[in-house]
């Protein structure tokens, strides 16, 4: 099952994507329901082709309404750690992105004044499907609703310079595009064998695979749930492969009018334009 939300920002409705990649309106099934666990239950009984088609060109939002929190694993690809000249961590490095950074998969990346080291990071997003506290690694995937592409946009000066707080460099509005859809766990197969890529202005910058994760999805869900309760609709961003702008020699960062395209095998493609805002 591929779950989407479509419509103007703040007024999105749930939908399903059928086998012909047509978005279908599921609002008759879920209505205004915001409890993500109940949304999943209701959509599981639907057949996408029985639902009305959504007109082409409708904006897609984040496939989860009201994301509670975005928990991220830093330096979780051994080859990415190497390009940043940082050691591979002995246990996961965790940080958060503010939920106000979450936006649709094709919304503009909006750069505010003073942000001149904006970087890209394609990541596998893990969407939690039920309340999760201190779950074992063996049972962790049973708590996963599905997976989505996450773009962990990062402002490196805000992240690493001055007081060096990662939260500041990760949480700007529009710095967490999610989607285009959420693919339920049963349709993804092994999350540790997914190809992923990112291009800037048509040039391939990242070309990797979830195979090179230091800590896999099941371990991350279990590990994070030791320190906080994960709620339905929470998202875990699991790290990025090499090829980020900071790792180029010399470093390369996003600038206004740049176009970014990124995708993960079976999870769809995002496309964003970089805009400077006042």
């Amino acid at each position: 099952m591929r779950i989407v939300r479509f419509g103007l920002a703040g007024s999105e409705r749930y939908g399903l994507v059928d086998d012909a990649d047509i978005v279908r309106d599921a609002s008759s099934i879920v209505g205004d329901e915001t409890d993500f666990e109940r949304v999943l239950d209701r959509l599981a009984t639907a057949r996408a082709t029985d639902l009305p088609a959504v007109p082409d060109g409708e904006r897609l939002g984040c496939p989860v309404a009201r994301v509670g929190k975005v928990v991220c694993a830093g330096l979780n690809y051994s080859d990415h750690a190497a390009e940043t000249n940082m050691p591979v961590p002995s246990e996961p490095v965790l940080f958060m992105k503010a939920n106000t950074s979450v936006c649709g998969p094709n919304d503009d990346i909006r750069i505010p004044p003073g942000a001149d080291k904006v970087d890209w990071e394609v990541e596998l997003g893990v969407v939690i499907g039920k309340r999760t506290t201190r779950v074992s690694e063996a049972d962790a995937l049973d708590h996963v609703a599905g997976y989505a592409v996450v773009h962990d946009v990062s402002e490196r000066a805000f992240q690493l310079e001055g007081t060096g707080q990662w939260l500041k460099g990760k949480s700007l509005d529009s710095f967490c595009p999610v989607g285009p859809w959420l693919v339920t766990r049963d349709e993804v197969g092994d999350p540790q064998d997914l190809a992923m890529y990112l291009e800037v202005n048509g040039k391939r910058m990242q070309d990797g695979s979830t195979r090179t994760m230091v800590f896999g999805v099941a371990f991350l869900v279990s590990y994070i749930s030791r320190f906080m309760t994960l709620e339905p609709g929470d998202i875990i961003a699991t790290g990025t492969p090499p090829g980020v702008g900071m790792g180029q020699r010399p470093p390369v960062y996003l600038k206004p009018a740049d176009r970014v395209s990124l995708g993960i095998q079976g999870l769809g493609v995002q496309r964003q334009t970089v805009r400077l805002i006042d």
Side-chain angles (χ1 to χ4, degrees):
M1 182 168 62
R2 290 183 288 174
I3 300 170
V4 298
R5 291 175 67 242
F6 65 92
L8 296 176
S11 302
E12 297 94 339
R13 295 177 299 200
Y14 273 105
L16 294 174
V17 182
D18 67 20
D19 290 340
D21 292 338
I22 297 171
V23 177
R24 303 281 182 163
D25 185 349
S27 58
S28 62
I29 298 172
V30 296
D32 296 328
E33 180 63 66
T34 57
D35 184 305
F36 186 61
E37 198 166 5
R38 285 203 287 266
V39 168
L40 291 173
D41 288 342
R42 293 180 184 180
L43 291 179
T45 66
R47 188 168 63 178
T49 52
D50 290 340
L51 302 172
V54 172
D56 290 342
E58 281 276 4
R59 171 189 173 272
L60 296 181
C62 171
V64 179
R66 298 184 183 178
V67 174
K69 54 184 173 288
V70 182
V71 187
C72 307
L75 303 174
N76 195 36
Y77 283 68
S78 55
D79 35 12
H80 172 56
E83 76 171 342
T84 60
N85 295 314
M86 296 182 184
V88 174
S90 58
E91 60 181 283
V93 176
L94 301 182
F95 62 92
M96 309 283 280
K97 291 176 80 82
N99 58 8
T100 49
S101 68
V102 174
C103 64
N106 304 317
D107 291 347
D108 291 343
I109 296 172
R110 295 179 287 133
I111 300 179
D116 56 4
K117 295 183 178 180
V118 177
D119 206 345
W120 55 82
E121 296 187 25
V122 58
E123 307 206 3
L124 174 67
V126 179
V127 182
I128 300 300
K130 56 185 176 182
R131 187 176 174 87
T132 305
T133 304
R134 296 184 298 278
V135 69
S136 69
E137 185 176 354
D139 294 333
L141 293 185
D142 292 338
H143 291 245
V144 172
Y147 303 94
V149 181
V150 170
H151 190 181
D152 178 16
V153 186
S154 308
E155 211 294 336
R156 300 302 188 188
F158 296 172
Q159 176 189 355
L160 300 171
E161 300 173 15
T163 55
Q165 296 175 20
W166 287 31
L167 179 70
K168 296 188 303 184
K170 301 283 190 171
S171 292
L172 297 166
D173 292 352
S174 80
F175 272 34
C176 190
V178 180
W181 41 66
L182 182 161
V183 183
T184 50
R185 182 167 55 89
D186 59 299
E187 294 194 6
V188 172
D190 183 3
Q192 305 307 150
D193 191 22
L194 301 176
M196 56 205 308
Y197 76 92
L198 182 144
E199 297 177 347
V200 179
N201 298 324
K203 180 180 179 181
R204 184 67 57 101
M205 304 302 292
Q206 292 184 276
D207 199 350
S209 169
T210 58
R211 289 192 302 270
T212 65
M213 277 187 192
V214 179
F215 305 103
V217 170
F219 183 89
L220 286 173
V221 173
S222 174
Y223 181 86
I224 294 168
S225 75
R226 289 165 49 190
F227 303 101
M228 67 190 79
T229 294
L230 295 168
E231 299 280 3
D234 285 351
I235 297 173
I236 299 172
T238 56
T240 197
V244 300
M246 182 175 63
Q248 307 299 311
R249 297 294 179 266
V252 178
Y253 297 113
L254 294 172
K255 58 186 184 301
D258 280 350
R259 296 184 180 275
V260 185
S261 175
L262 58 150
I264 298 178
Q265 179 182 344
L267 302 184
V269 175
Q270 300 184 357
R271 296 180 178 87
Q272 296 121 22
T273 300
V274 180
R275 307 289 188 196
L276 188 65
I277 61 172
D278 296 329

